[in-house]
Amino acid sequence: MTSRLRTSGFTLIEVLVALLLVGTVLTVAMQSSGALINNMSDLRLRQYALWSAQNRLVEWQIQRLWPPLGVRQQACPQAGVALLCEEEVSATPNPYFRRLEIRVYAVDGPQGETSATRLATLIAYLDR
């Protein structure tokens, strides 16, 4: 009479494979979290740029000034972020309207260099 003992459980190889799978899943999850955090900071910066452009438009509307044609640049910081607003005023077929395009760029560096990346663009029409 021989009795066999049956043991239940995982072998060492099964445990190692499971740990490898868990490690891979955790690595991918951490990379995804990092990308999400980077995207959130970029979205926040773009939101600040849009607010700056909207503030410039409201300033033009409140002052009720007839803007001269041409391109002007002006610092337009928002929430402690250094931004540069570039305003381009152009004529329209109707002489009583002017087209105002406000482009907002990030200011990089202590010398005030602007980045080539446009963060926001706002186009509006002002009437006389």
Side-chain angles (χ1 to χ4, degrees):
M1 226 194 230
T2 60
S3 70
R4 290 186 177 192
L5 290 174
R6 271 201 138 183
T7 59
S8 62
F10 297 104
T11 65
L12 181 59
I13 292 187
E14 290 172 334
V15 170
L16 290 175
V17 169
L19 286 175
L20 179 68
L21 288 174
V22 168
T24 303
V25 168
L26 288 176
T27 302
V28 170
M30 292 299 291
Q31 289 174 346
S32 297
S33 298
L36 181 62
I37 289 170
N38 287 340
N39 286 342
M40 287 181 60
S41 65
D42 185 50
L43 286 174
R44 181 179 299 118
L45 185 61
R46 289 183 184 275
Q47 182 64 48
Y48 292 158
L50 183 59
W51 286 344
S52 289
Q54 290 172 339
N55 287 346
R56 289 297 304 145
L57 175 61
V58 168
E59 286 178 27
W60 278 108
Q61 291 172 335
I62 288 174
Q63 292 173 2
R64 301 290 296 167
L65 296 176
W66 189 238
L69 299 177
V71 178
R72 283 172 296 289
Q73 291 184 344
Q74 177 178 347
C76 54
Q78 189 70 242
V81 177
L83 299 171
L84 178 76
C85 289
E86 181 179 79
E87 301 172 355
E88 181 178 355
V89 179
S90 55
T92 64
N94 186 335
Y96 294 104
F97 289 93
R98 292 262 164 104
R99 181 180 188 268
L100 173 63
E101 182 173 348
I102 304 170
R103 296 178 290 269
V104 183
Y105 301 92
V107 175
D108 299 330
Q111 284 78 25
E113 301 94 15
T114 60
S115 68
T117 304
R118 185 182 309 164
L119 299 174
T121 301
L122 182 65
I123 298 174
Y125 291 88
L126 301 174
D127 63 341
R128 189 171 240 184

